[in-house]
Amino acid sequence: DVKVTQSSRYLVKRTGEKVFLECVQDMDHENMFWYRQDPGLGLRLIYFSYDVKMKEKGDIPEGYSVSREKKERFSLILESASTNQTSMYLCASSVSYDRTSGGFGNIQYFGAGTRLSVL
Amino acid sequence: AQTVTQSQPEMSVQEAETVTLSCTYDTSESNYYLFWYKQPPSRQMILVIRQEAYKQQNATENRFSVNFQKAAKSFSLKISDSQLGDTAMYFCAFMNDYSGSARQLTFGSGTQLTVLP
């Protein structure tokens, strides 16, 4: 089974702090994603990465940055946390090419989420 | 840009009954994938079912089936013989079928389903 692990289930930080959310996957997936989940808004894509050191902005990248130094690890960084970044953060990974089906990968596997509170 | 709409924020169903969750989407693409994901109280997002737009046959997975109406851009999820463990937030999601890696998901706002004993 694919395992996507997020380092913290709950996190409480102060306004202005630098915050790191870590995500590790164990299936050698090329693609990794960070989403933010808010009630009534569903999941919104913050950033994604399709290879080591490569990153692309999603729909709501403002106030966030990411780092992918190793294939299995994708970090989300809040440079200066603000109260409006209080949310649930979900990490996901996917394969680029699905050798089983012979097509491009389309299933994303999710971690259990980190609930971040910024006070 | 694609949009996904789930118009039912909350639903409930009696155990062993059948329930249908609605989802509509908007796209100009002809090839794409549609998904239903389930997020139980444990918060672990789990894939329930997937539909490829070029396939006319509706996908089924045990008690879960979809009604995919491509022309109407509708993708509803039917849960038969509902069980208490089906209580969860259900998200409908869309993905373009393009020949690049890191395909992105666009999610709806979710439907909280409660199965009543």
Side-chain angles (χ1 to χ4, degrees), chain B residues 1-21:
Chain B
Q2 288 74 35
T3 58
V4 178
T5 302
Q6 294 179 249
S7 57
Q8 306 152 311
E10 296 179 355
M11 295 187 72
S12 62
V13 63
Q14 292 293 139
E15 198 174 4
E17 299 290 307
T18 295
V19 64
T20 298
L21 281 58

Side-chain angles (χ1 to χ4, degrees), chain B residues 6-14 18-23 36 76-79 82 86-90 110-116:
Chain B
Q6 294 179 249
S7 57
Q8 306 152 311
E10 296 179 355
M11 295 187 72
S12 62
V13 63
Q14 292 293 139
T18 295
V19 64
T20 298
L21 281 58
S22 301
C23 174
W36 280 98
S76 60
L77 174 70
K78 185 170 86 170
I79 306 174
S82 296
D86 295 334
T87 292
M89 180 73 86
Y90 287 81
T111 296
Q112 176 63 49
L113 175 68
T114 302
V115 179
L116 304 169

Side-chain angles (χ1 to χ4, degrees), chain A:
Chain A
D1 280 354
V2 177
K3 188 150 187 175
V4 180
T5 303
Q6 294 184 230
S7 54
S8 304
R9 292 273 289 176
Y10 300 92
L11 214 49
V12 180
K13 296 292 180 181
R14 294 283 179 189
T15 303
E17 278 192 76
K18 189 169 186 176
V19 182
F20 292 86
L21 302 184
E22 306 287 345
C23 176
V24 176
Q25 50 94 3
D26 67 354
M27 282 302 294
D28 202 36
H29 284 175
E30 292 82 8
N31 309 315
M32 297 188 75
F33 306 82
W34 274 107
Y35 294 90
R36 171 176 171 157
Q37 181 180 355
D38 298 290
L41 297 177
L43 280 72
R44 293 177 291 167
L45 182 64
I46 304 171
Y47 267 98
F48 64 97
S49 168
Y50 53 90
D51 201 350
V52 175
K53 296 190 186 294
M54 306 305 291
K55 61 184 179 184
E56 293 280 348
K57 292 180 180 179
D59 299 319
I60 52 165
E62 296 79 19
Y64 303 95
S65 63
V66 290
S67 172
R68 193 164 181 205
E69 297 297 319
K70 293 185 178 181
K71 191 175 185 179
E72 68 271 17
R73 186 181 297 270
F74 192 35
S75 303
L76 180 69
I77 303 158
L78 287 65
E79 294 289 342
S80 178
S82 63
T83 55
N84 62 13
Q85 292 179 309
T86 291
S87 186
M88 171 83 82
Y89 291 88
L90 291 167
C91 175
S93 72
S94 71
V95 67
S96 285
Y97 183 75
D98 188 341
R99 289 169 181 80
T100 303
S101 66
F104 292 98
N106 54 59
I107 296 177
Q108 291 187 15
Y109 299 89
F110 286 82
T114 296
R115 189 173 294 282
L116 173 67
S117 296
V118 182
L119 306 177

Side-chain angles (χ1 to χ4, degrees), chain B residues 19-117:
Chain B
V19 64
T20 298
L21 281 58
S22 301
C23 174
T24 58
Y25 58 94
D26 187 25
T27 183
S28 57
E29 304 294 330
S30 57
N31 293 325
Y32 48 86
Y33 295 89
L34 294 163
F35 305 82
W36 280 98
Y37 276 89
K38 163 185 175 180
Q39 187 181 44
S42 67
R43 298 179 351 203
Q44 183 68 58
M45 194 83 84
I46 303 163
L47 177 65
V48 175
I49 201 164
R50 173 183 55 168
Q51 174 79 42
E52 293 139 327
Y54 64 87
K55 289 187 177 178
Q56 293 186 340
Q57 187 172 6
N58 289 325
T60 62
E61 287 288 341
N62 301 314
R63 298 182 294 108
F64 298 88
S65 62
V66 298
N67 183 3
F68 173 48
Q69 303 287 330
K70 191 172 184 179
K73 296 180 182 175
S74 170
F75 183 60
S76 60
L77 174 70
K78 185 170 86 170
I79 306 174
S80 304
D81 185 25
S82 296
Q83 300 175 1
L84 296 178
D86 295 334
T87 292
M89 180 73 86
Y90 287 81
F91 290 99
C92 179
F94 174 99
M95 177 185 284
N96 263 327
D97 182 15
Y98 70 94
S99 58
S101 63
R103 295 161 158 187
Q104 301 162 51
L105 283 168
T106 300
F107 285 87
S109 55
T111 296
Q112 176 63 49
L113 175 68
T114 302
V115 179
L116 304 169

